């Protein structure tokens, strides 16, 4: 069986056509891009079993990991999930309609509201989380634990350099 990935084939083609150019960065970026698309599809397999999307899992998980009482301001959710404020409002509305979150008054600011995980939302995320982690373990099974640690370290370094350019 051929273990060569599509990006390797692309790099070979460029080596033939442009031997004067080091296209090795294409290998890294291309693989990260393809992995992102492929992994998104693989992650959705679990989310759809629970009638969730990746965005809804992310929002529920963000609220759950924030700790009791599992509530955050819409602006904090906005910052942590990196979507526009209008998208955030729409997503909160959709989760509220399903009974997974509710808006509650902010005790620190009479004019403000907080988004709070409902008991139903907490039970759902607590049920989905183990299945999600098992799915991620399945996705990464081609790598040893040591390789996973090395990859996580390198990806963290790259991400940090892009999120916090000096």
């Amino acid at each position: 069986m051929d273990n060569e990935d599509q990006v390797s084939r692309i790099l070979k083609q460029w080596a033939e056509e442009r031997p004067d150019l080091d296209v090795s960065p294409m290998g890294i970026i291309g693989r990260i891009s393809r992995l992102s698309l492929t992994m998104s599809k693989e992650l959705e397999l679990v989310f759809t079993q629970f009638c969730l999307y990746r965005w809804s899992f992310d929002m529920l998980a963000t609220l759950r990991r924030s700790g009791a009482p599992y509530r955050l301001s819409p602006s904090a959710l906005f910052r942590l999930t990196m979507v526009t404020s209008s998208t955030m409002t729409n997503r909160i509305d959709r989760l509220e309609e399903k009974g997974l979150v509710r808006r509650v008054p902010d005790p620190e600011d009479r004019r403000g509201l907080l988004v709070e995980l409902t008991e139903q939302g907490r039970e759902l995320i607590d049920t989905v989380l183990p299945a999600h982690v098992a799915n991620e373990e399945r996705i990464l099974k081609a790598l040893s634990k040591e390789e996973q640690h090395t990859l996580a370290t390198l990806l963290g370094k790259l991400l940090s350099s892009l999120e916090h350019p000096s």
Side-chain angles (χ1 to χ4, degrees), residues 118-131:
T118 63
E119 185 63 25
Q120 180 184 347
R122 190 188 59 73
E123 288 172 3
L124 178 60
I125 194 64
D126 284 351
T127 301
V128 177
L129 189 60

Side-chain angles (χ1 to χ4, degrees), residues 124-140:
L124 178 60
I125 194 64
D126 284 351
T127 301
V128 177
L129 189 60
H132 172 64
V133 171
N135 191 35
E136 288 182 329
E137 288 173 347
R138 178 191 64 81
I139 291 168
L140 296 172

Side-chain angles (χ1 to χ4, degrees), residues 40-134:
S40 288
K41 291 175 187 173
E42 293 294 318
L43 293 173
E44 289 292 333
L45 295 173
V46 167
F47 299 147
T48 56
Q49 292 174 19
F50 297 93
C51 300
L52 292 173
Y53 298 98
R54 186 172 187 161
W55 67 262
S56 52
F57 172 84
D58 286 344
M59 284 188 58
L60 296 174
T62 299
L63 288 166
R64 178 64 173 95
R65 72 175 181 263
S66 72
Y70 314 115
R71 62 171 74 138
L72 293 168
S73 68
S75 59
L77 275 171
F78 165 75
R79 282 190 310 276
L80 293 167
T81 58
M82 298 180 296
V83 296
T84 65
S85 58
S86 61
T87 298
M88 179 56 62
T89 299
N90 179 272
R91 289 178 176 183
I92 293 168
D93 290 346
R94 291 173 64 186
L95 291 174
E96 194 170 36
E97 287 168 11
K98 290 183 170 189
L100 302 174
V101 302
R102 67 177 151 253
R103 289 176 172 95
V104 297
D106 184 344
E108 309 279 317
D109 177 3
R110 290 188 339 203
R111 295 168 293 156
L113 290 174
L114 298 173
V115 179
E116 180 178 80
L117 201 56
T118 63
E119 185 63 25
Q120 180 184 347
R122 190 188 59 73
E123 288 172 3
L124 178 60
I125 194 64
D126 284 351
T127 301
V128 177
L129 189 60
H132 172 64
V133 171

Side-chain angles (χ1 to χ4, degrees), residues 17-29:
E17 294 299 316
R18 291 294 307 270
D20 60 308
L21 191 60
D22 176 12
V23 296
S24 60
M26 285 182 165
I28 296 168
I29 303 300

